[in-house]
């Protein structure tokens, strides 16, 4: 199966893949064997980069940038249009590869590739809209304009859970902005990265453009650390845990580089007494158990008004009971595996912590049958005091903690009462409640939804969050500005030098 998919994507014989579905795990300084989350068997062995090969890749990215920055932006946009078309042609196979490698169910694997296609389309239009402003000068015969120029090679670090689209958000914008990219994917998803990068870079080089999409595969301690510290990369865009982001942020700040951080979330859905539960229940289920709880936007906390808590939890429990867990490639599966054994251990540890802190398991709480890393989607009711410290942590697994509240402001306080600030949602039929939630004293998150769940953002808006989520914004809106440098350009055609602020000198 895997070989066929890799063949279709044109990377089965890639020099970096040394074995497909090998019998043995071979992992050392130079090689890494990934494990199928579905079968727990070896999936492929890939060659790893070291500091020297990373250095060569960054040098090649600098070289490519020098040529690419001078290609007119709309021409760069046409190239990105071809990249989007290539992704469309390979959508099926890339989606399957994502399912095989990280265990996303088929519709979600395909949805992820669609997200990259969408951002490519967005970037094509953007390539003609990299607008700067003009400002009136205080001096006669002077003109001030703001220009946006290409920034440089961009380092992009991605997590296993969106092994294609998160690079896409960064790379498609970087490309139209005139930058090259050095991508360090998760070691849990090197195949998707390899195939994605190959398809996109080949599309550009076949059109005669510079080879702007570079890839390095390696351990965080070796390749990640050097990449982040490399001052040839003016911007590091990193997606992953808050812990990782804190390290990256400090390292990049130390060299006065720029950082774009998209870190952990701890997202809540508030359900008001006047909520339409026919909308709320499926949204909560998708948010909490979709992608087996491994999105940064996953719904981790349910804040439900005490008057309807019992009926909401009962309906959720019924919906959970019918969610089929299993092979992500099989039709009808709703919950695939977690990425690895460590994630299963973290799931079990969180359940144990929740119980010892007074939480009650409503459904789930155990490993699910199968050779791979399957767990049961779980609902935990917080104790009456609403004190449940484990719910403050982001465990990348399908665990939903349920809290109750009496009035909306208390629910908003619970929503905001965690370190992370990525996504949030409210279900209510009331305009007042909705405005309160979206207002300045409402949700403190980067994403706020009304009558929708916390996950599944469209690419057109800026994506990211506040507080420990890192403050970065990727994807749509004006996120492109991260990938360019701003120049305020003042031009005079006056006969003599005039100083600003009315200063007369000499
Ligand atoms: C992530 O989990 O890192 O909003 C990104 C969403 C997706 C992106 C998730 N569009 O759920």
């Amino acid at each position: 199966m895997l070989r066929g998919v890799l063949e279709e994507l044109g990377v089965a014989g890639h020099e970096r893949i040394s074995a497909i579905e090998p019998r043995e795990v071979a992992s050392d300084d130079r090689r890494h064997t990934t494990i199928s989350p579905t079968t727990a068997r070896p999936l492929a062995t890939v060659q790893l980069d070291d500091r020297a090969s990373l250095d060569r890749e960054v040098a090649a990215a600098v070289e490519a940038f020098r040529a690419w920055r001078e290609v007119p932006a709309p021409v760069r946009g046409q190239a990105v249009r071809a990249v989007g078309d290539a992704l469309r042609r390979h959508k099926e196979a890339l989606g399957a590869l994502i399912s095989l490698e990280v265990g996303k169910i088929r519709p979600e694997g395909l949805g992820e590739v669609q997200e990259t296609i969408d951002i490519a389309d967005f970037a094509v239009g953007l390539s003609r809209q990299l607008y700067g402003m003009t400002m009136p000068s205080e001096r006669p015969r002077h003109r001030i304009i703001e220009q946006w120029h290409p920034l440089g090679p961009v380092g992009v670090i991605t997590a296993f859970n969106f092994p294609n689209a998160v690079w896409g958000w960064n790379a498609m914008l970087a490309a139209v902005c005139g930058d090259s990219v050095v991508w360090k994917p998760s070691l849990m998803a090197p195949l998707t990265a390899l195939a994605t990068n190959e398809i996109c870079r080949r599309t550009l080089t076949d059109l005669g453009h510079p080879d702007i999409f570079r890839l390095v595969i390696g351990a965080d301690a070796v390749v990640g650390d050097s990449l982040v510290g490399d001052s040839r990369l003016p911007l590091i865009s990193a997606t992953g845990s808050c812990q990782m982001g804190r390290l990256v942020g400090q390292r990049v700040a130390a060299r006065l580089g720029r950082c774009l951080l998209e870190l952990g979330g701890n997202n809540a859905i508030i359900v008001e007494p006047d909520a339409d539960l026919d909308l709320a229940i499926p949204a909560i289920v998708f948010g909490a158990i979709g992608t087996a709880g491994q999105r940064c936007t996953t719904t981790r906390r349910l804040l439900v008004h005490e008057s309807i808590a019992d009926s909401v939890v009962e309906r959720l429990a019924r919906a959970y009971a019918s969610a089929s867990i299993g092979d992500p490639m099989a039709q009808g599966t709703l919950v695939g595996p977690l990425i690895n054994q460590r994630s299963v251990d973290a799931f079990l540890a969180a359940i144990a912590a929740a119980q010892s802190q007074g939480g009650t398991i409503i459904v789930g709480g155990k490993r699910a049958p199968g050779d791979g890393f399957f767990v049961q989607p779980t609902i935990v009711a917080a104790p009456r005091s609403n004190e449940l410290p484990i719910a403050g942590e982001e465990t990348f697994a399908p665990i939903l903690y349920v809290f109750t509240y009496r009035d909306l402001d208390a629910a908003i306080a619970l929503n905001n009462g965690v370190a992370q600030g990525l996504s949030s949602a409210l279900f209510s039929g009331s305009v007042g409640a909705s405005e309160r939630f979206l207002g300045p004293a409402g949700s403190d998150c980067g994403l706020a939804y009304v009558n929708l769940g916390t996950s599944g953002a469209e690419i057109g808006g800026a994506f990211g969050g506040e507080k420990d989520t890192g403050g970065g914004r990727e994807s749509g809106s004006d996120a492109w500005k991260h990938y360019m440098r701003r120049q305020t350009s003042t031009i005079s055609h006056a006969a003599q030098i005039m100083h600003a602020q009315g200063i007369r000198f000499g």
Side-chain angles (χ1 to χ4, degrees):
M1 179 85 192
L2 177 65
R3 180 175 292 278
V5 170
L6 292 174
E7 269 165 13
E8 211 173 314
L9 292 166
V11 291
H14 196 283
E15 55 186 17
R16 299 196 68 141
I17 303 179
S18 44
I20 297 171
E21 296 183 327
R23 278 170 189 276
E24 309 271 307
V25 171
S27 291
D28 52 35
D29 289 354
R30 287 170 302 118
R31 308 170 291 175
H32 175 71
T33 303
T34 56
I35 304 294
S36 157
T38 305
T39 64
R41 283 199 287 273
L43 204 54
T45 304
V46 294
Q47 306 288 326
L48 294 183
D49 279 290
D50 55 17
R51 287 203 178 86
S53 60
L54 167 71
D55 188 61
R56 286 196 295 276
E57 281 303 309
V58 176
V62 170
E63 205 46 40
F65 165 69
R66 292 217 167 105
W68 186 237
R69 68 181 168 186
E70 296 211 59
V71 174
V75 177
R76 298 195 294 252
Q78 287 308 305
V80 169
R81 174 202 288 262
V83 168
D85 286 344
L87 291 166
R88 278 186 173 84
R89 285 195 300 279
H90 291 100
K91 181 176 169 181
E92 273 294 319
L94 268 177
L97 181 56
I98 292 169
S99 295
L100 291 170
E101 189 170 41
V102 303
K104 281 194 187 186
I105 59 168
R106 276 298 265 150
E108 291 198 63
L110 291 168
E112 175 166 357
V113 184
Q114 187 58 47
E115 195 161 342
T116 306
I117 294 168
D118 292 344
I119 193 74
D121 286 356
F122 178 90
V124 176
L126 183 66
S127 71
R128 290 182 182 270
Q129 300 173 76
L130 302 170
Y131 300 138
M133 299 199 281
T134 68
M135 297 84 176
S137 171
E138 64 195 48
R139 291 166 283 185
R141 302 198 170 187
H142 282 61
R143 187 162 69 90
I144 306 177
I145 59 169
E146 185 175 77
Q147 303 190 80
W148 293 91
H149 288 310
L151 179 68
V154 176
V156 176
I157 297 172
T158 58
F160 78 87
N161 66 330
F162 273 80
N164 170 279
V166 170
W167 174 79
W169 295 346
N170 285 281
M172 298 305 120
L173 294 193
V176 295
C177 290
D179 302 336
S180 54
V181 177
V182 183
W183 181 10
K184 189 196 108 39
S186 160
L187 267 188
M188 291 171 261
L191 299 175
T192 304
L194 203 65
T196 304
N197 200 71
E198 272 304 300
I199 288 165
C200 298
R201 64 171 276 264
R202 259 193 256 137
T203 303
L204 291 188
T205 53
D206 285 354
L207 289 168
H209 290 305
D211 200 355
I212 59 164
F213 293 136
R214 322 294 312 191
L215 180 72
V216 289
I217 300 175
D220 290 346
V222 183
V223 169
D225 191 59
S226 309
L227 184 85
V228 166
D230 198 321
S231 51
R232 290 172 293 179
L233 305 171
L235 171 67
I236 298 290
S237 173
T239 302
S241 67
C242 297
Q243 192 194 358
M244 177 280 286
R246 208 162 259 127
L247 293 175
V248 170
Q250 290 178 22
R251 191 83 205 281
V252 176
R255 62 171 174 91
L256 301 181
R258 227 191 260 178
C259 233
L260 209 181
L261 297 176
E262 205 269 276
L263 311 175
N266 190 343
N267 319 296
I269 294 182
I270 299 173
V271 187
E272 278 277 89
D274 63 354
D276 181 343
L277 294 186
D278 290 338
L279 296 179
I281 300 294
I284 297 164
V285 173
F286 178 69
I289 73 174
T291 328
Q294 300 174 107
R295 288 194 193 211
C296 55
T297 52
T298 290
T299 308
R300 309 212 174 275
R301 295 175 299 138
L302 180 66
L303 316 178
V304 55
H305 192 271
E306 58 180 15
S307 63
I308 53 166
D310 289 345
S311 65
V312 168
V313 169
E314 198 190 299
R315 281 183 69 170
L316 277 178
R318 251 185 285 139
Y320 270 51
S322 66
S324 60
I325 309 168
D327 180 358
M329 294 294 282
Q331 219 188 340
T333 301
L334 279 190
V335 185
L338 295 182
I339 187 70
N340 55 25
Q341 182 59 40
R342 255 186 36 214
S343 287
V344 175
D345 294 343
F347 165 85
L348 294 171
I351 301 289
Q355 283 176 304
S356 74
Q357 293 167 7
T360 311
I361 295 177
I362 309 286
V363 284
K366 297 205 170 68
R367 246 195 119 123
D371 295 334
F373 309 113
F374 296 97
V375 299
Q376 296 174 332
T378 300
I379 300 176
V380 177
R384 279 202 141 274
S385 63
N386 271 351
E387 294 290 329
L388 190 65
I390 188 66
E393 284 171 35
E394 181 192 44
T395 304
F396 241 45
I399 306 173
L400 182 68
Y401 302 105
V402 183
F403 298 84
T404 56
Y405 69 89
R406 273 205 189 130
D407 66 80
L408 181 58
D409 280 346
I412 291 173
L414 281 172
N415 178 77
N416 297 351
V418 290
Q420 310 86 340
L422 180 56
S423 188
S424 56
L426 168 82
F427 278 84
S428 168
S430 139
V431 175
S434 162
E435 290 298 312
R436 182 93 190 127
F437 175 71
L438 298 177
S443 164
D444 65 1
C445 295
L447 308 168
Y449 295 91
V450 173
N451 295 326
L452 287 167
T454 58
S455 65
E458 301 180 14
I459 56 89
F463 183 93
E466 306 301 336
K467 304 192 293 186
D468 281 9
T469 303
R473 290 297 185 281
E474 297 183 291
S475 190
S477 184
D478 64 351
W480 61 271
K481 291 179 176 172
H482 288 294
Y483 305 84
M484 303 202 84
R485 64 183 169 88
R486 185 196 312 241
Q487 182 177 71
T488 304
S489 310
T490 308
I491 309 132
S492 162
H493 66 286
Q496 72 255 24
I497 285 293
M498 295 170 160
H499 300 295
Q501 294 87 44
I503 291 175
R504 288 178 189 278
F505 196 71

